[in-house]
Amino acid sequence: MREITLSQAVNEALAEEMRRDETVFIIGEDVAEAGTPFKVLSGLVEEFGTGRVVDTPIAEPGFMGLAVGAAMTGTRPVVDLMFGDFIFLIMDQLCNQAAKTHYMSGGKLSVPLVLRTNMGATRRSAAQHSQSLHALVAHIPGLKVAMPSSAYEAKGLMKTAIRDNNPVVIFEDKLMYQDKAPVPEEEYLIPFGEANIKREGSDITLIGTSSMVQVCEKAAEILAAEGISAEVIDPRTIVPLDEKTLLESARKTSRVIVVDEGHQSFGVTSEIASRINEKAFYHLDAPVLRMGAMDVPIPFSPTLEDITVPTPEGVAAKARLLVGGEMIHAA
């Protein structure tokens, strides 16, 4: 199977859906000739024209509101938000309008809109361009939230999102745009709410989101060399969340670590750990551990920034303690 980058996978998904459905269009800052700062959309304006790849002024609340209205009246906008940190600027349009319109109209109106944006630190972009804010929108009923961990997931989840009749937010990790993975040439979609067991194991479960899936896979390799069998699971979407797969793994291994790049407090790690503690408690040999980003603004300094997010070595160290029983005594 051919290998392509995550950036190419997103580009392919958008192009295929725009060819399939003429109501699909892209709107955002620097999406046309510039192809976004990360060049993810390069070439699309040449094929589809400026009527369907629409450059906007620097006015996030304006073009997000425009997209919500367009979605309500028969089109399928894909809104490109240059940095995930800018999501604060569009929270009313996203959370009070897009997320609630279907419910408040008694099902008469839908908002089939995709918001694609990014997340992730360690790119030396400092505190205002490095945040991972997916937990904010996952808290809002009416929104679906996808977090691709590779080019394969990026393409399949994007195509599913565009065809969904609900608003979907997709967070792509900035550092993964040039990562390659096998991607079929034939069409495929990835259903929402179906986790992927990336690696089977029997001693401990490592649940990672987005780029943290790779962190968990590397940690599993470290642990395997020491005789510890780690299962690695990628939820793919956090709304809806595939509880069944996560709980089955927790019951099998009896030990779990949840790894996410969002801030640890009040975040995705807390929610997943809580659900496992509530619904698989009597199968656990130790408390579910959480590993998220430090609760600090993301530093610009490389030395400081690198220690704010989970690493394979850090995950492996926590896993050793769980499997060895030390965390039980500590608790």
Side-chain angles (χ1 to χ4, degrees):
M1 190 184 299
R2 63 169 185 161
E3 290 195 348
I4 61 174
T5 65
L6 191 148
S7 176
Q8 291 171 318
V10 173
N11 188 296
E12 272 192 7
L14 290 167
E16 289 175 11
E17 291 305 299
M18 291 175 78
R19 294 180 194 124
R20 187 188 67 85
D21 183 351
E22 64 180 14
T23 68
V24 178
F25 72 95
I26 300 168
I27 185 169
E29 298 159 358
D30 287 341
V31 296
E33 284 76 9
T36 77
F38 301 98
K39 306 305 177 187
V40 177
L41 307 184
S42 294
L44 294 182
V45 71
E46 285 79 8
E47 179 175 354
F48 299 103
T50 55
R52 295 183 67 194
V53 183
V54 184
D55 265 336
T56 69
I58 303 174
E60 288 85 357
F63 66 72
M64 185 64 190
L66 186 156
V68 172
M72 290 169 61
T73 53
T75 65
R76 292 182 177 271
V78 178
V79 180
D80 187 289
L81 192 64
M82 188 180 291
F83 283 90
D85 312 70
F86 302 164
I87 204 166
F88 295 110
L89 298 168
I90 63 165
M91 289 297 273
D92 183 66
Q93 292 84 348
L94 179 64
C95 300
N96 276 335
Q97 309 304 327
K100 296 175 173 61
T101 293
H102 186 69
Y103 172 76
M104 295 183 70
S105 68
K108 294 179 181 178
L109 296 173
S110 297
V111 186
L113 174 151
V114 177
L115 173 65
R116 63 166 296 269
T117 190
N118 52 50
M119 56 176 282
T122 67
R123 188 176 170 269
R124 318 313 179 207
S125 297
Q128 295 171 330
H129 293 77
S130 302
Q131 299 171 90
S132 298
L133 300 173
H134 43 287
L136 289 180
V137 291
H139 185 69
I140 306 300
L143 299 178
K144 297 184 179 182
V145 184
M147 302 180 67
S149 62
S150 75
Y152 178 81
E153 276 78 21
K155 183 173 182 180
L157 291 171
M158 177 62 73
K159 291 173 72 71
T160 300
I162 292 172
R163 300 185 193 190
D164 200 298
N165 287 327
N166 301 282
V168 179
V169 187
I170 296 184
F171 287 89
E172 301 155 4
D173 192 288
K174 296 186 287 288
L175 285 180
M176 295 173 63
Y177 279 132
Q178 298 309 311
D179 288 359
K180 289 188 174 183
V183 175
E185 293 192 40
E186 60 272 15
E187 182 176 73
Y188 68 96
L189 283 79
I190 296 177
F192 287 174
E194 291 190 11
N196 182 27
I197 300 175
K198 303 283 286 187
R199 179 185 182 123
E200 293 195 358
S202 56
D203 295 324
I204 188 168
T205 298
L206 306 178
I207 302 169
T209 61
S210 185
S211 62
M212 294 297 104
V213 174
Q214 295 182 11
V215 168
C216 290
E217 288 181 309
K218 292 175 182 176
E221 292 174 5
I222 295 171
L223 294 168
E226 303 169 12
I228 298 173
S229 174
E231 184 150 290
V232 178
I233 301 180
D234 172 12
R236 288 176 166 168
T237 58
I238 55 174
V239 183
L241 181 68
D242 183 0
E243 275 191 10
K244 181 175 181 291
T245 298
L246 303 184
L247 292 172
E248 286 176 351
S249 182
R251 291 171 183 138
K252 178 176 74 170
T253 68
S254 74
R255 304 173 187 88
V256 182
I257 300 177
V258 188
V259 191
D260 178 73
E261 198 171 340
H263 294 302
Q264 180 154 311
S265 295
F266 307 99
V268 171
T269 58
S270 303
E271 180 63 27
I272 294 177
S274 177
R275 294 196 194 190
I276 294 172
N277 279 325
E278 290 174 5
K279 299 178 181 181
F281 179 79
Y282 292 106
H283 296 268
L284 298 175
D285 288 340
V288 178
L289 294 188
R290 301 180 295 123
M291 297 185 69
M294 286 185 183
D295 293 324
V296 298
I298 308 299
F300 176 73
S301 161
T303 304
L304 294 176
E305 184 180 24
D306 288 346
I307 63 173
T308 64
V309 297
T311 63
E313 294 75 19
V315 173
K318 290 283 189 181
R320 287 189 204 99
L321 294 176
L322 273 187
V323 174
E326 295 181 42
M327 292 302 300
I328 301 174
H329 302 307

